[in-house]
């Protein structure tokens, strides 16, 4: 919604205000000289956006039916960068579902920058385990989800939909053109299907928020039906969801339930998003009308609270509880309320608190790990630095939702005094990979330990040993282990502790009665870039068992416990049951779970074809230059889908000197960013005077988090113009 006071007015009043303001604005503009109109070109202003010209890749919507029909989007420079690279794992949920419609301040903000931006505090979502469907929403005709949302949602098993919307006066004109003939409805439906297929998302929310002539309803049904059929044919498992807006009589009349006025649309697509001003008995009534398709009824909840049942905001769970009881699905509209209204004390805390209400009401909806290899660095897709294999690659603030790793299921208690250890995703402490880690700080009493959920999985294990590798940075006496929960075919529970390497006797003695098995690391190494990171690898064979949970276990080293016991004995008092708590501090950097058969093999650099395109040099002062270039790479033979991302670096090489035939570096190797597709656009890179060549390096990364050595990675050597 474009109005700052949107949470205080309903939709009908908003429509009247919008049309009135537009009429007044158009009248005022008609009185101005042509050259004085605000939309007239200005020599001092930036040039209009030309999607055909090379520029930092962005995501953008399609605003006219003419552009949709002409397929001009596919001719844009930005199209190849906007393809989602992460495929959705197969499967569906035969249960009530949660749909999240993002509606974040109009859309296309920090998330529009495909290669990432510089706002470390950019909006994002990380509670994907509580979501089934994500809708990217804006008020433009065709809203195409930025690939960052599709990539991270797919990683977590969540479907992503774009939005097709007609509203206000422009929407009425578009609706007339769309519904002119049966052939026109088919053509536009096929264009939408082509876009979803090419960009890799999973369907559409259809919002026809205009009054129609009742004679247009047959063609509207044809449009919905044809879009649903073509989407199902092109993208198995895709969804087309109808928004509760126009009725079969052609009236724009929000029903707030499934009934005879909107069911004909529901019957020819995959579901209905019911408007959010429903009453308490409407979900149950809607479920009755839907019959065996009651899970396809998504009852809307406006998080801003605009007339929504229960009031939304911090009482969103009131409506969720009703929907859970009546066994229909939920559609959470605009959870960005937390971010937009700056809920205290800060976004991280407020977001975790709000989503904890959702979890308390509905429970966990997505489980992972489900397949191997499984890797998480706990990166939320933003931060104050970038780390690779324990070493800092960049100290600049950044955001890129595509970089989100599998998100941990961290429990939010809301009471800092309730837990002995505080657990949070941290963006300031040095990370092992990406820009985040999980920190554990607080106090632990002697002989006590603290355990907290990390992941809730559904991973059936085979006969090969499974290797768990994780990185830890801690003080000498603060230890981290992993607790694994398994279930057999007959629901027999087994718990295994993967203990820290510094705790052999303590772990065996202290934990043997608490776990079915205690396993010590088979291998312990340190990061070459930062020896403070200790990488531990343990193995286990549990053929036929399902891994259901992974917990982190915090406990004290034996050295510290012995010291406490010695002090106790010296005092002549037995304090074994009441010793004072001791400070605990540790950081978990990453976790990898895989079998020995899943070790990555990186192709040699000669296996890649690397090119530079759209090269543009600009001269600066004192012999310096800037360059913009599109770097593309292709694996000559083999499957490049095994490599989900690429780190991009540049080395600036000085003019050759006597005795140095290879030239010398001008400054250190520079991190430029990350690519999820086989292309990266370098924009206005500064090239110092005296630089003869630029070496662009594409560091290949595997699905298990491993990275190819920079010296072995494919590269492009670009001679500096005029050097």
């Amino acid at each position: 919604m474009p109005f700052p006071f949107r949470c205080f007015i309903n939709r009908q009043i908003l429509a009247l205000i919008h049309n009135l303001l537009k009429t007044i604005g158009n009248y005022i503009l008609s009185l101005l000289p042509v050259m004085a109109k605000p939309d007239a070109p200005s020599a001092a202003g930036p040039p209009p956006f030309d999607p055909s010209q090379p520029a930092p890749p962005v995501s953008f919507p399609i605003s006219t039916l003419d552009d949709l029909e002409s397929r001009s989007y596919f001719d844009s420079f930005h199209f190849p960068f906007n393809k989602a690279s992460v495929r959705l794992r197969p499967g569906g949920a035969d249960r009530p579902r949660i749909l999240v419609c993002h509606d974040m301040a109009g859309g296309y903000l920090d998330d529009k920058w495909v290669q990432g931006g510089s706002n470390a505090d950019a909006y994002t979502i990380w509670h994907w385990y509580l979501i089934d469907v994500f809708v990217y929403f804006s008020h433009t005709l065709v809203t195409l989800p930025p690939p960052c949302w599709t990539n991270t949602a797919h990683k977590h098993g969540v479907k992503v939909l774009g939005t097709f919307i007609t509203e206000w006066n422009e929407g009425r004109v578009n609706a007339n053109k769309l519904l002119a003939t049966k052939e026109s409805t088919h053509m536009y439906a096929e264009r939408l299907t082509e876009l979803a297929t090419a960009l890799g998302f999973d369907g559409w929310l259809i919002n026809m928020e205009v009054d129609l002539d009742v004679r247009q309803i047959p063609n509207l049904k044809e449009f919905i039906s044809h879009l649903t059929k073509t989407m199902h044919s092109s993208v198995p498992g895709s969804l087309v969801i109808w928004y509760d807006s126009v009725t079969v009589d052609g009236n724009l009349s929000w029903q707030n339930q499934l009934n005879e006025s909107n069911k004909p649309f529901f019957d020819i697509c995959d579901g209905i998003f019911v408007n959010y001003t429903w009453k308490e008995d409407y979900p149950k009534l809607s479920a009755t009308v839907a019959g065996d398709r009651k899970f396809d009824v998504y009852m809307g909840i406006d998080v801003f609270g605009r007339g929504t049942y229960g009031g939304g905001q911090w009482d969103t769970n009131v409506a969720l509880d009703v929907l859970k009881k009546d066994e229909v699905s939920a559609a959470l509209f605009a959870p960005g309320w937390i971010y937009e209204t700056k809920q205290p004390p800060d976004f991280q805390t407020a977001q975790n608190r709000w989503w904890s209400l959702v979890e308390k009401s509905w429970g966990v909806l997505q489980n992972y790990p489900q397949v191997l290899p499984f890797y998480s660095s706990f990166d939320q897709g933003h931060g104050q630095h970038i780390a690779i294999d324990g070493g800092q690659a960049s100290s600049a603030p950044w955001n890129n939702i595509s970089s989100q790793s599998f998100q941990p299921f961290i429990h939010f208690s809301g009471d800092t005094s309730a837990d002995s250890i505080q657990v949070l995703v941290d963006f300031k402490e040095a990370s092992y990979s990406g820009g985040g880690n999980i920190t554990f700080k607080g106090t632990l009493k002697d002989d006590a330990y603290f355990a907290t959920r990390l992941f809730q999985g559904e991973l059936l294990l085979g006969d090969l040993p499974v290797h768990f590798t994780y990185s830890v940075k801690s003080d000498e006496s603060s230890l981290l282990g992993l607790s694994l929960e398994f279930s057999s075919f007959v629901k027999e529970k087994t718990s295994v502790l993967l203990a820290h390497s510094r705790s052999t006797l303590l772990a065996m003695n202290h934990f043997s009665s608490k776990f079915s098995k205690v396993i010590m690391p088979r291998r312990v190494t340190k990061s070459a870039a930062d020896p403070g990171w200790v990488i531990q690898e343990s193995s286990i064979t549990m053929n036929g068992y399902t891994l259901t949970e992974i917990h982190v276990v915090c406990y004290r080293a034996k050295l510290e416990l012995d010291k406490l016991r010695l002090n106790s004995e010296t005092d002549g008092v037995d304090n074994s049951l009441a010793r004072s708590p001791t400070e605990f501090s540790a950081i978990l950097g990453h976790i990898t779970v895989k079998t020995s058969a899943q070790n990555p093999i990186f192709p040699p650099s000669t296996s890649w074809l690397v090119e530079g395109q759209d090269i543009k040099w600009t001269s600066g002062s004192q012999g310096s230059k800037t360059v913009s270039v599109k770097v593309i790479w292709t694996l000559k033979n083999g499957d490049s889908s095994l490599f989900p991302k690429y780190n991009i670096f540049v080395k600036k090489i000085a003019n050759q000197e006597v005795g140095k035939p290879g030239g010398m570096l001008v400054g250190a190797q520079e991190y430029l960013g990350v690519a999820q597709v086989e292309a990266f656009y370098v924009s206005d890179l500064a090239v110092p005077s005296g630089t003869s060549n630029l070496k662009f390096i594409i560091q290949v990364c595997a699905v298990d988090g491993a990275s190819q050595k920079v010296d072995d990675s494919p590269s492009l050597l670009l001679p500096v113009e005029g050097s």
Side-chain angles (χ1 to χ4, degrees):
M1 301 288 181
F3 296 95
F5 49 92
R6 65 182 186 175
C7 57
F8 302 106
I9 55 179
N10 63 32
R11 189 190 301 268
Q12 291 89 337
I13 296 175
L14 187 62
L16 292 173
I17 294 174
H18 177 277
N19 290 330
L20 177 62
L21 291 176
K22 184 163 185 179
T23 300
I24 295 172
N26 288 338
Y27 174 74
I28 293 174
L29 285 175
S30 69
L31 301 177
L32 298 174
V34 173
M35 293 304 293
K37 290 184 178 181
D39 57 353
S42 169
F49 174 62
D50 183 350
S52 68
Q53 294 302 305
V58 295
S59 300
F60 58 94
I62 296 173
S63 57
T64 70
L65 286 175
D66 288 341
D67 286 341
L68 179 60
E69 179 179 358
S70 70
R71 304 176 69 251
S72 61
Y73 180 85
F74 296 107
D75 297 325
S76 75
F77 174 81
H78 306 268
F79 162 58
F81 296 93
N82 274 276
K83 296 179 180 180
S85 59
V86 180
R87 296 178 183 176
L88 181 69
R89 65 172 183 257
D94 186 23
R95 53 162 173 75
R97 299 177 284 269
I98 288 184
L99 177 152
V100 169
C101 190
H102 110 296
D103 186 43
M104 173 60 200
Y108 299 106
L109 302 174
D110 294 295
D111 55 359
K112 75 177 180 181
W113 302 105
V114 177
Q115 294 177 176
S118 59
N119 181 10
D121 298 318
Y123 177 72
T124 187
I125 288 173
W126 56 87
H127 294 83
W128 295 103
Y129 54 92
L130 304 175
I131 303 172
D132 292 293
V133 182
F134 176 82
V135 179
Y136 195 79
F137 184 88
S138 80
H139 289 278
T140 308
L141 180 69
V142 180
T143 300
L144 303 173
C148 60
W149 289 106
T150 307
N151 284 335
T152 193
H154 279 184
K155 180 179 295 182
H156 293 86
V158 176
K159 295 181 180 181
V160 176
L161 310 185
T163 304
F164 180 84
I165 187 171
T166 59
E167 59 182 349
W168 321 122
N169 292 334
E170 306 97 311
R172 189 70 182 86
V173 173
N174 285 330
N176 290 340
K177 187 173 182 177
L178 167 72
L179 305 175
T181 64
K182 177 180 177 180
E183 291 73 24
S184 66
T185 65
H186 282 204
M187 182 268 292
Y188 287 119
E190 289 164 10
R191 293 293 189 270
L192 293 176
T193 296
E194 183 182 28
L195 283 164
T197 305
L199 296 177
F201 60 92
D202 309 296
W204 296 95
L205 172 67
I206 305 301
N207 187 359
M208 301 292 293
E209 213 149 12
V210 292
D211 286 303
L212 297 176
D213 190 307
V214 69
R215 292 170 295 182
Q216 294 176 304
I217 297 302
N219 279 349
L220 175 58
K221 291 181 181 178
E222 194 67 38
F223 171 66
I224 300 166
S225 176
H226 193 66
L227 176 60
T228 303
K229 291 174 183 176
T230 55
M231 280 300 309
H232 289 179
S233 175
S234 300
V235 183
S238 57
L239 298 175
V240 173
I241 295 179
W242 172 257
Y243 188 78
D244 168 28
S245 50
V246 69
T247 67
V248 289
D249 300 320
N251 299 319
L252 178 57
S253 177
W254 300 272
Q255 300 299 294
N256 299 301
Q257 62 183 306
L258 179 66
N259 59 23
E260 68 280 358
S261 294
N262 52 30
K263 188 173 184 292
F265 304 126
F266 172 79
D267 290 340
I268 55 177
C269 67
D270 299 302
I272 184 170
F273 184 145
V274 175
N275 191 50
Y276 44 76
T277 54
W278 45 269
K279 300 183 185 303
E280 186 172 0
D281 60 339
Y282 286 11
K284 190 171 185 178
L285 293 172
S286 298
T288 301
V289 174
D292 60 3
R293 289 189 60 203
K294 62 182 179 180
F295 299 159
D296 297 332
V297 177
Y298 298 84
M299 301 297 294
I301 303 173
D302 182 8
V303 180
F304 273 82
R306 293 160 290 201
T308 204
Y309 179 83
Q313 302 183 14
W314 293 111
D315 293 316
T316 295
N317 55 305
V318 173
L320 283 171
D321 290 344
V322 172
L323 305 184
K324 181 73 170 178
K325 173 178 64 71
D326 292 334
E327 294 189 302
V328 294
S329 294
L332 297 171
F333 187 78
W337 167 79
I338 306 160
Y339 186 91
E340 288 190 64
T341 59
K342 297 180 173 58
Q343 290 297 302
D346 55 75
F347 177 54
Q348 283 283 321
T349 304
Q351 174 108 315
N352 288 331
R353 175 191 166 200
W354 187 86
W355 281 99
S356 74
L357 301 175
V358 178
E359 181 177 357
K360 184 177 181 181
S361 178
W362 276 54
V364 170
L365 303 179
Q366 301 287 349
N367 293 301
Y368 45 86
Q370 290 192 10
V371 296
L372 296 181
F374 175 79
Y375 169 79
S376 179
S377 65
F378 322 113
D379 196 328
Q380 285 186 2
H382 61 98
Q384 302 290 344
H385 60 265
I386 292 283
I388 299 174
D389 295 332
Q392 183 165 290
S394 171
S395 59
W398 65 281
N399 64 276
N400 187 339
I401 297 172
S402 276
S403 294
Q404 262 199 27
S405 194
F406 276 102
Q407 291 302 294
F409 297 53
I410 296 178
H411 173 70
F412 178 82
S413 69
D415 182 4
T416 57
S417 63
D419 296 325
S420 58
I421 300 295
Q422 300 302 311
V423 184
L424 70 152
V425 176
D426 185 80
F427 309 98
K428 296 179 181 179
E429 296 281 354
S431 300
Y432 182 81
S433 179
N437 54 68
I438 304 182
T439 63
F440 303 82
K441 292 185 178 181
T443 58
L444 275 180
K445 293 182 179 179
D446 185 12
D447 285 348
Y449 71 93
F450 171 86
T452 187
R453 180 185 64 182
L454 190 60
F455 296 109
Q456 189 165 307
E458 194 176 315
L459 177 65
L460 179 62
L461 302 183
D463 54 1
L464 287 177
V466 177
H467 306 300
F468 290 79
T469 305
Y470 62 102
S471 55
V472 176
K473 181 180 285 190
S474 66
D475 59 44
E476 185 179 2
S477 62
S478 299
L479 306 185
L480 283 185
L482 297 180
S483 167
L484 313 177
E485 301 292 327
F486 297 94
S487 177
S488 69
F489 288 124
V490 294
K491 306 301 180 184
E492 177 189 355
K493 304 294 183 182
T494 301
S495 60
V496 177
L497 175 66
L498 306 181
H500 194 284
S501 60
R502 295 203 305 264
S503 58
T504 307
L505 293 177
L506 172 67
M508 297 300 288
N509 295 332
H510 187 61
F511 292 116
S512 58
S513 63
K514 297 177 175 61
F515 295 91
S516 306
K517 187 184 297 184
V518 178
I519 296 177
M520 301 306 301
R522 62 191 287 266
R523 184 182 177 199
V524 179
T525 58
K526 293 187 177 183
S527 167
D530 181 353
W533 285 109
V534 178
I535 299 105
Q536 306 194 114
E537 181 182 325
S538 301
S539 298
I540 188 171
T541 302
M542 296 290 289
N543 188 15
Y545 280 79
T546 297
L547 175 64
T548 57
E549 292 186 30
I550 302 176
H551 291 76
V552 172
V553 179
C554 304
Y555 59 103
R556 309 294 307 173
K558 188 175 188 300
L559 175 65
E560 186 69 19
L561 294 178
D562 284 345
K563 188 185 299 182
L564 288 171
R565 289 192 178 94
L566 179 62
N567 292 338
S568 175
E569 292 166 2
T570 302
D571 294 338
V573 180
D574 182 6
N575 292 324
S576 59
L577 298 179
R579 295 192 176 100
S580 61
T582 308
E583 290 299 318
F584 184 97
S585 178
I587 303 172
L588 181 63
H590 86 288
I591 180 174
T592 302
V593 187
K594 64 180 181 179
T595 68
S596 56
Q598 295 172 318
N599 290 325
I601 299 176
F602 294 107
S605 60
T606 54
S607 300
W608 298 84
L609 178 64
V610 187
E611 300 180 65
Q613 298 179 349
D614 300 308
I615 303 171
K616 179 183 178 182
W617 295 96
T618 303
S619 297
S621 60
Q622 299 179 340
S624 66
K625 292 181 173 67
T626 61
V627 65
S628 297
V629 56
K630 178 183 177 183
V631 182
I632 62 172
W633 53 94
T634 307
L635 188 60
K636 298 174 186 176
N637 296 292
D639 184 7
S640 62
S641 67
L642 298 173
F643 310 114
K645 71 172 187 176
Y646 307 86
N647 295 319
I648 312 300
F649 300 89
V650 66
K651 290 182 178 180
K652 301 172 183 178
I653 304 173
N655 295 324
Q656 291 187 358
E657 299 178 0
V658 178
K660 297 182 180 179
M664 60 181 293
L665 293 180
V666 180
Q669 171 181 290
E670 182 180 344
Y671 174 81
L672 297 179
V674 63
Q676 273 75 30
V677 295
E678 295 173 3
F680 188 86
Y681 186 70
V682 180
S683 178
D684 295 327
L685 177 70
V687 182
S689 174
T691 306
S692 62
N693 291 280
L694 298 173
K695 184 178 182 181
F696 294 100
I697 302 168
I698 301 101
Q699 184 183 37
V700 184
C701 302
V703 70
D704 68 345
S707 304
Q708 189 172 24
K709 292 182 179 179
V710 169
D711 292 342
D712 298 335
S713 299
S715 63
L716 170 70
L717 191 66
L718 180 66
V720 174
E721 183 181 65
S723 61

